[in-house]
């Protein structure tokens, strides 16, 4: 099983919090968009907890048929309902002394939400058809890509269960929020998938890497992995420029704002007017202090003086305060 990769501060802060959570028995709710790695984070919490030697049982709540959801989680006795010819322990009991991961917990039916709340509060699990509950020592880690608070407000999710689940929330950042991790992930997936398919890994030229870093990755790490597999299979061993990337990635990357957020207007700009205006703004912000204005613009003082003369900006603005004296 893989692990969450990346050195960005956004990811590392979540991993540090997860390690602290792992040492306790506190119930945890993992938040994040689809494809960000919520199950991997849940496995990290389990692996670094005192329950690491116990089972880790993952359940996709969105895939549970509503009529069988209660039985799947809590189990049933023989004859509890039509078709229950054999007893079934349920996923909570299967995760005893370990961790139960409830992915997409917001999809649970209302009746099952009530029963899950009781289990979280008492540790008691009553299978369908049983006359009395049984104590089960299972830790629950839940996850969702939805805004559960909005679901609570709309009456789709129990408020008491929401607050019981998110004692300590852990929110995974979207991949577009940590672009510095994209080269690490690309290298990992290209090499791993090349080994899996017994093919030479493709190599990315700098322009291809820049394009992949500008792409917003709506499917997050899962989408990036799938893209890497596509590149390995279709371009094994080749050196790839941006033009070899999937067209949808090229188009979305070209339309994405640059790192500084500035996008060229459709009608173009006048560079001289823009540069002169930025110099005026820097001088106004620093009260006419040319050395400080140069630092704001990333210029040397001599370069700033040259450009001020070029645009006839030799008269510095009046200082914003008595303490701001032009250099």
């Amino acid at each position: 099983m893989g692990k969450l990769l990346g050195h960005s501060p956004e990811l590392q802060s979540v991993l540090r919090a997860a390690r602290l959570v792992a040492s306790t028995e506190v119930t945890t709710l993992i938040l994040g968009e689809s494809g960000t790695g919520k199950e991997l984070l849940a496995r990290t919490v389990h692996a670094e907890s005192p329950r690491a030697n116990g089972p880790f049982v993952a359940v996709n709540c969105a895939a549970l048929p509503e009529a069988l959801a209660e039985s799947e989680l809590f189990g049933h006795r023989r004859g509890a309902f039509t078709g229950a010819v054999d007893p079934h322990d349920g996923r909570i009991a299967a995760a005893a002394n370990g961790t139960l991961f409830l992915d997409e917990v917001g999809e649970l039916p209302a009746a099952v939400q009530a029963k899950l709340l009781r289990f979280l509060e008492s540790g008691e699990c009553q299978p369908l058809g049983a006359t009395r509950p049984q104590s089960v020592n299972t830790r629950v880690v839940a996850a969702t890509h939805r805004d559960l608070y909005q679901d609570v407000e709309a009456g789709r999710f129990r408020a008491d269960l929401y607050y019981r689940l998110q004692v300590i929330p852990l929110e995974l950042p979207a991949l577009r929020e940590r672009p510095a991790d994209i080269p690490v992930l690309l290298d990992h997936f290209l090499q791993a998938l090349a080994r899996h398919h017994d093919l030479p890994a493709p190599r990315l030229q700098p322009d291809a890497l820049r394009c992949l870093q500008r792409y917003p990755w709506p499917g997050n790490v899962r989408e990036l992995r799938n893209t890497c597999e596509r590149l390995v299979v279709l371009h094994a061993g080749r050196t790839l420029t941006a033009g070899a990337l999937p067209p949808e990635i090229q188009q979305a990357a070209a339309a994405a704002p640059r790192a500084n957020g500035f996008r060229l207007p459709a009608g173009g700009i006048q560079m001289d007017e823009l540069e002169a205006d930025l110099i005026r703004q820097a001088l106004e912000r620093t009260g006419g202090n040319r050395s400080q204005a140069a630092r704001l613009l990333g210029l040397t003082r001599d370069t700033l003086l040259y450009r001020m003369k070029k645009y006839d900006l030799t008269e510095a603005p009046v200082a914003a305060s008595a303490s701001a004296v032009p250099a």
Side-chain angles (χ1 to χ4, degrees):
M1 180 55 61
K3 61 180 182 178
L4 289 164
L5 296 174
H7 306 294
S8 64
E10 295 85 355
L11 179 63
Q12 289 301 314
S13 65
V14 176
L15 292 177
R16 284 193 296 271
R19 293 185 190 104
L20 293 174
V21 167
S23 64
T24 72
E25 289 291 299
V26 69
T27 305
T28 304
L29 180 64
I30 300 175
L31 307 170
E33 296 178 8
S34 180
T36 50
K38 295 187 289 295
E39 182 172 342
L40 287 179
L41 186 60
R43 289 183 180 275
T44 298
V45 170
H46 173 72
E48 301 199 15
S49 76
R51 297 173 175 268
N53 292 327
F56 178 91
V57 177
V59 179
N60 182 355
C61 298
L64 293 177
E66 185 170 350
L68 298 177
E70 185 174 354
S71 170
E72 279 296 309
L73 289 180
F74 296 92
H76 63 257
R77 296 291 176 257
R78 182 179 178 181
F81 52 85
T82 302
V85 294
D86 294 309
H88 173 60
D89 287 337
R91 306 294 183 89
I92 290 176
N97 301 312
T99 302
L100 175 69
F101 174 56
L102 296 177
D103 195 12
E104 300 305 339
V105 69
E107 305 293 337
L108 284 177
V112 181
Q113 291 179 29
K115 201 164 180 177
L116 176 61
L117 176 63
R118 176 171 176 78
F119 170 71
L120 291 173
E121 292 180 336
S122 67
E124 291 183 342
C125 171
Q126 185 165 350
L128 289 170
T131 57
R132 64 185 63 183
Q134 61 189 49
S135 294
V136 182
N137 181 16
T138 296
R139 180 185 191 172
V140 172
V141 174
T144 182
H145 76 281
R146 290 166 51 165
D147 186 337
L148 282 189
Y149 185 76
Q150 285 190 358
D151 287 350
V152 169
E153 293 286 291
R156 292 188 295 267
F157 198 80
R158 293 181 63 108
D160 45 8
L161 178 57
Y162 170 72
Y163 291 115
R164 187 64 183 80
L165 285 173
Q166 76 142 20
V167 176
I168 298 183
L170 298 172
E171 186 163 9
L172 279 168
L175 185 56
R176 64 181 174 276
E177 296 169 358
R178 52 185 187 106
D181 287 339
I182 290 176
V184 176
L185 291 163
L186 286 168
D187 182 67
H188 169 76
F189 286 131
L190 288 173
Q191 297 300 325
L193 291 165
R195 289 193 298 271
H196 175 75
H197 291 289
D198 195 23
L199 293 168
R203 297 172 297 279
L204 299 175
Q205 289 284 71
D207 66 323
L209 180 58
R210 287 193 297 271
C211 182
L212 291 167
Q213 286 185 287
R214 288 198 301 269
Y215 180 64
W217 297 107
N220 292 292
V221 179
R222 183 183 294 123
E223 183 186 6
L224 185 144
R225 182 202 178 279
N226 292 343
T227 298
C228 287
E229 188 158 26
R230 180 174 174 178
L231 295 178
V232 165
V233 172
L234 296 181
H235 304 288
R238 292 177 54 192
T239 299
L240 305 182
T241 64
L245 299 176
E248 63 272 19
I249 289 181
Q250 295 182 53
Q251 293 164 11
R258 304 291 174 166
N260 61 5
F262 178 79
R263 294 185 65 183
L264 183 67
I269 59 170
Q270 294 294 322
M271 282 296 295
D272 287 357
E273 292 179 6
L274 177 62
E275 187 174 45
D277 186 55
L278 289 173
I279 292 172
R280 289 191 195 96
Q281 291 185 47
L283 289 167
E284 289 170 4
R285 184 168 297 182
T286 61
N289 188 306
R290 294 167 183 174
S291 296
Q292 291 180 14
R295 284 194 290 273
L296 283 179
L297 295 167
L299 304 174
T300 66
R301 189 174 186 277
D302 287 344
T303 301
L304 175 65
L305 294 175
Y306 167 78
R307 294 187 182 181
M308 286 176 64
K309 183 176 180 180
K310 174 183 176 182
Y311 299 122
D312 196 21
L313 300 174
T314 52
E315 291 297 324
V318 176
S321 68
S323 61
V325 178

